Amino acid sequence: MAIAEAEQSSAPLPLVTQLHGWVTTVDHKRIGIMYILMSFLFLVVGGIEALLIRLQLWVPDNTLIGPDTFNQLFTMHGTTMIFFVVMPMLTGFANYMVPLMIGCRDVAFPRLNALGFWLSLFGGCILYTCYFTGDALYGMGSAPDVGWFAYAPLTSPAYARGGAVDYWILGTSVSGVGALTFAVNLIATILTMRAPGMKLNQVPLFVWMMLIDSWLILVAFPPLTAAQIMLILDRYAGAHFFDTQSGGSALLWQHLFWFFGHPEVYIMVLPAFGIISEIIPVFSRKVIFGYASMAAATAAIGLISLGVWAHHMFTVGLDDRLDAYFSAASFLIAVPTGIKVFNWTATLYGGRLKMRTPMLFALGFLSMFLIGGLTGIMLATVPVDWQVSDSYFLVAHFHYVLFGGSLFALMGGCYYWFPKATGKMLSEKLGLWHFWLLFIGFNLLFGPMHIAGILGMPRRVYTYEAGQGWEIWNQISTIGAFVMGFGILFFFINIAVSLRSGKKAGDDPWDAWTLEWATSSPPPSYNFEQILAVRSRRPLWDLKHPEDPDWKYE
């Protein structure tokens, strides 16, 4: 069943030749790996920034970090984690796995695919170049300090002198163009290059969710790019789009930004849903419950997410009718999300569960995302949002949704597909250390923020006075941040150890059912020696069990 790659010379190529091969590659698998490595690099950088923020908040009236540096740290941390950690990681998984899962040899536009990666990496480099050039050019702050949302008028020349904000605009807009090229490429690949016989309602759910995800990227990113061009014109060409003193509107920026920002939440979460939808059935030894309703719920989430952006703006004083509409729309999106949670739970129910590391991360995702979803429903209620907006309650909520909702699933995906990409198994022992440190640390870090927020602690403050009841919650959070840091360290150690001396994986170590497991581990450059014909949603099951194939029942 497995297709072995032709034997090649065992003599290693010179290092320069190997590097040249990686830099000039258009192979979707290598580009996927480079996306993921880029994500790991920025994860370390963003994680260090988060640890510095937590150290500053360890005790009241702390002077470890000054207010200007603190503002820069939370701006760079938020921008880095969203644009240069989660986005590249999900893009990397899609690049590597989608062509394999639909049984084709590459993406539709390989060179465009490579361009997308280099634009994304270039965007990150532009952003961090500010630390080395900002002072020299302007003598002002060396990094942007306007938050990852860059609200007007903080970004106007009056409040953001120097070039730091320009680096933020250029870095994020260039990476955004990279995301658009990725989306165009993936849509064309899924729609036109599926294996013979594979209908659109038979693709793996990860592929289906990446298809909806790519459409969301195409719709959501252009408004952000347009807003960034308008901001550049405001700053350097005398335009006044966001200048309230000259007839502009600061709220216009918020509308444009959140029209991107809210779908962006689902752009980051839908791939996580897809990964979980692959892991849970395999480790429950059951067919996914309700494939059709899962696919329909994904489309519904994508559609509704485009109409709820102003629920981030309840406190700006919108019309009551708008508040009511955006509140109702925010509640509505809980319905398709609830369908997904129900279907994953129904798949687990009665299954023969194998509690391997990918499954642990899948279950961790379910519990963390559920908490984030419940607090999201609370924030969709306008009076509650008014009460806790811009407090640490909000920080806790979006970290449970984004970090718990995406990173736990992405880590599960790393353990699930690492054997396919490298031919080696990750260590289960180190994986357990990684999971439990991450799980415990995550809840120690973000759980207490709910209480600190309810007690009134605002976000983005660099210090606070003693006696307000916030000390203990901040100290627990700081301890949790370091526990999480150790968890991430175990993950990197696991990768290094397993690449060097890990157990050989074989072609199909999990006894799975989708096409990526039909080729060798790692796959050859052409993916499949022969393109397989597909007749059901589990083509590998059909090959393994010709006496009882799925296509008889679909």
Side-chain angles (χ1 to χ4, degrees):
M1 182 183 306
I3 300 165
E5 188 172 14
E7 289 187 6
Q8 298 178 351
S9 170
S10 59
L13 296 171
L15 179 60
V16 174
T17 305
Q18 293 184 42
L19 288 175
H20 180 266
W22 280 91
V23 170
T24 60
T25 187
V26 292
D27 183 340
H28 72 95
K29 297 182 291 299
R30 285 192 164 196
I31 291 171
I33 290 173
M34 289 196 294
Y35 266 118
I36 293 172
L37 291 177
M38 168 188 166
S39 170
F40 288 165
L41 170 65
F42 282 105
L43 176 63
V44 172
V45 175
I48 291 172
E49 290 162 350
L51 290 177
L52 290 172
I53 291 170
R54 291 314 317 170
L55 282 175
Q56 168 61 23
L57 297 173
W58 172 254
V59 291
D61 301 316
N62 198 355
T63 57
L64 177 67
I65 296 171
D68 292 337
T69 304
F70 188 88
N71 291 344
Q72 294 165 6
L73 280 174
F74 73 67
T75 300
M76 295 297 279
H77 169 72
T79 305
T80 300
M81 298 303 282
I82 288 171
F83 288 96
F84 305 111
V85 175
V86 178
M87 284 295 292
M89 196 178 293
L90 68 89
T91 307
F93 274 115
N95 251 293
Y96 198 104
M97 301 312 308
V98 167
L100 290 170
M101 296 175 94
I102 62 174
C104 66
R105 291 202 164 96
D106 208 327
V107 292
F109 309 112
R111 288 181 175 81
L112 186 67
N113 197 26
L115 174 66
F117 166 74
W118 290 111
L119 284 174
S120 298
L121 180 61
F122 189 45
C125 293
I126 289 174
L127 178 66
Y128 275 87
T129 302
C130 65
Y131 276 112
F132 304 101
T133 61
D135 280 335
L137 288 176
Y138 298 96
M140 298 302 296
S142 62
D145 56 359
V146 292
W148 83 279
F149 35 72
Y151 279 168
L154 294 177
T155 50
S156 68
Y159 296 99
R161 300 179 63 188
V165 169
D166 303 324
Y167 285 96
W168 180 88
I169 295 171
L170 288 173
T172 54
S173 58
V174 168
S175 72
V177 176
L180 288 171
T181 64
F182 157 77
V184 169
N185 205 358
L186 202 69
I187 290 171
T189 302
I190 295 172
L191 293 183
T192 64
M193 298 179 68
R194 300 189 303 279
M198 180 182 277
K199 300 173 185 173
L200 203 54
N201 64 356
Q202 290 177 330
V203 299
L205 280 172
F206 177 72
V207 176
W208 179 257
M209 293 185 198
M210 286 309 310
L211 180 62
I212 302 297
D213 205 64
S214 300
W215 282 111
L216 274 180
I217 289 174
L218 286 186
V219 175
F221 270 73
L224 175 64
T225 305
Q228 289 171 323
I229 293 171
M230 293 160 71
L231 181 56
I232 285 285
L233 293 175
D234 266 17
R235 287 174 61 82
Y236 292 107
H240 302 287
F241 292 108
F242 310 119
D243 181 2
T244 56
Q245 302 298 313
S246 303
S249 170
L251 288 185
L252 176 60
W253 171 268
Q254 291 199 32
H255 280 292
L256 290 170
F257 181 84
W258 287 116
F259 190 82
F260 148 79
H262 194 78
E264 172 69 359
V265 172
Y266 295 96
I267 288 169
M268 292 189 284
V269 168
L270 285 182
F273 289 174
I275 293 171
I276 296 304
S277 300
E278 299 301 324
I279 292 176
I280 286 180
V282 169
F283 290 88
S284 301
R285 310 311 301 163
K286 284 179 63 181
V287 180
I288 188 77
F289 182 89
Y291 174 99
S293 60
M294 289 287 271
T298 306
I301 289 172
L303 187 64
I304 299 170
S305 72
L306 296 172
V308 296
W309 74 91
H311 86 188
H312 297 269
M313 301 167 57
F314 285 149
T315 55
V316 304
L318 297 175
D319 184 275
D320 286 347
R321 290 167 294 182
L322 290 177
D323 281 349
Y325 163 73
F326 284 107
S327 176
S330 302
F331 280 119
L332 183 62
I333 209 166
V335 176
T337 308
I339 290 173
K340 287 182 174 296
V341 174
F342 176 82
N343 286 2
W344 290 321
T345 308
T347 306
L348 289 166
Y349 181 74
R352 290 182 287 116
L353 305 186
K354 293 185 176 181
M355 302 304 288
R356 304 290 293 273
T357 311
M359 186 63 156
L360 288 177
F361 275 100
L363 297 178
F365 157 84
L366 275 177
S367 54
M368 297 301 95
F369 184 75
L370 182 61
I371 295 173
L374 291 174
T375 53
I377 291 173
M378 295 168 66
L379 288 167
T381 310
V382 177
V384 175
D385 184 88
W386 284 345
Q387 186 67 30
V388 297
S389 183
D390 276 341
S391 74
Y392 263 86
F393 187 91
L394 190 66
V395 178
H397 158 69
F398 69 70
H399 277 91
Y400 268 92
V401 172
L402 290 183
F403 205 61
S406 61
L407 205 61
F408 269 85
L410 290 168
M411 287 295 168
C414 287
Y415 281 88
Y416 183 58
W417 283 312
F418 183 89
K420 176 52 60 183
T422 66
K424 300 286 186 66
M425 300 294 291
L426 282 168
S427 163
E428 278 290 310
K429 184 177 180 181
L430 290 173
L432 289 176
W433 275 100
H434 173 205
F435 171 76
W436 285 112
L437 286 172
L438 197 68
F439 187 81
I440 294 169
F442 181 89
N443 284 288
L444 284 177
L445 172 55
F446 297 112
M449 288 185 186
H450 291 107
I451 303 172
I454 290 172
L455 292 175
M457 182 171 178
R459 62 193 291 201
R460 309 187 200 108
V461 291
Y462 91 103
T463 190
Y464 50 92
E465 294 181 355
Q468 301 184 81
W470 301 346
E471 294 93 330
I472 182 63
W473 307 115
N474 277 292
Q475 288 170 358
I476 294 172
S477 289
T478 302
I479 292 170
F482 280 89
V483 173
M484 272 188 66
F486 280 112
I488 298 293
L489 181 62
F490 268 91
F491 175 57
F492 290 133
I493 292 173
N494 198 352
I495 289 177
V497 170
S498 300
L499 284 175
R500 184 180 177 85
S501 56
K503 177 185 170 186
K504 288 188 177 179
D507 299 332
D508 184 14
W510 309 119
D511 190 18
W513 306 308
T514 40
L515 282 181
E516 74 269 28
W517 305 104
T519 187
S520 58
S521 302
S525 58
Y526 44 85
N527 288 353
F528 301 96
E529 187 174 313
Q530 294 180 331
I531 301 298
L532 301 174
V534 174
R535 302 181 68 181
S536 77
R537 293 169 188 147
R538 297 197 302 170
L540 220 53
W541 171 274
D542 295 344
L543 285 174
K544 294 174 182 176
H545 304 279
E547 75 286 356
D548 187 29
D550 271 8
W551 56 263
K552 285 186 176 179
Y553 311 104
E554 289 183 356

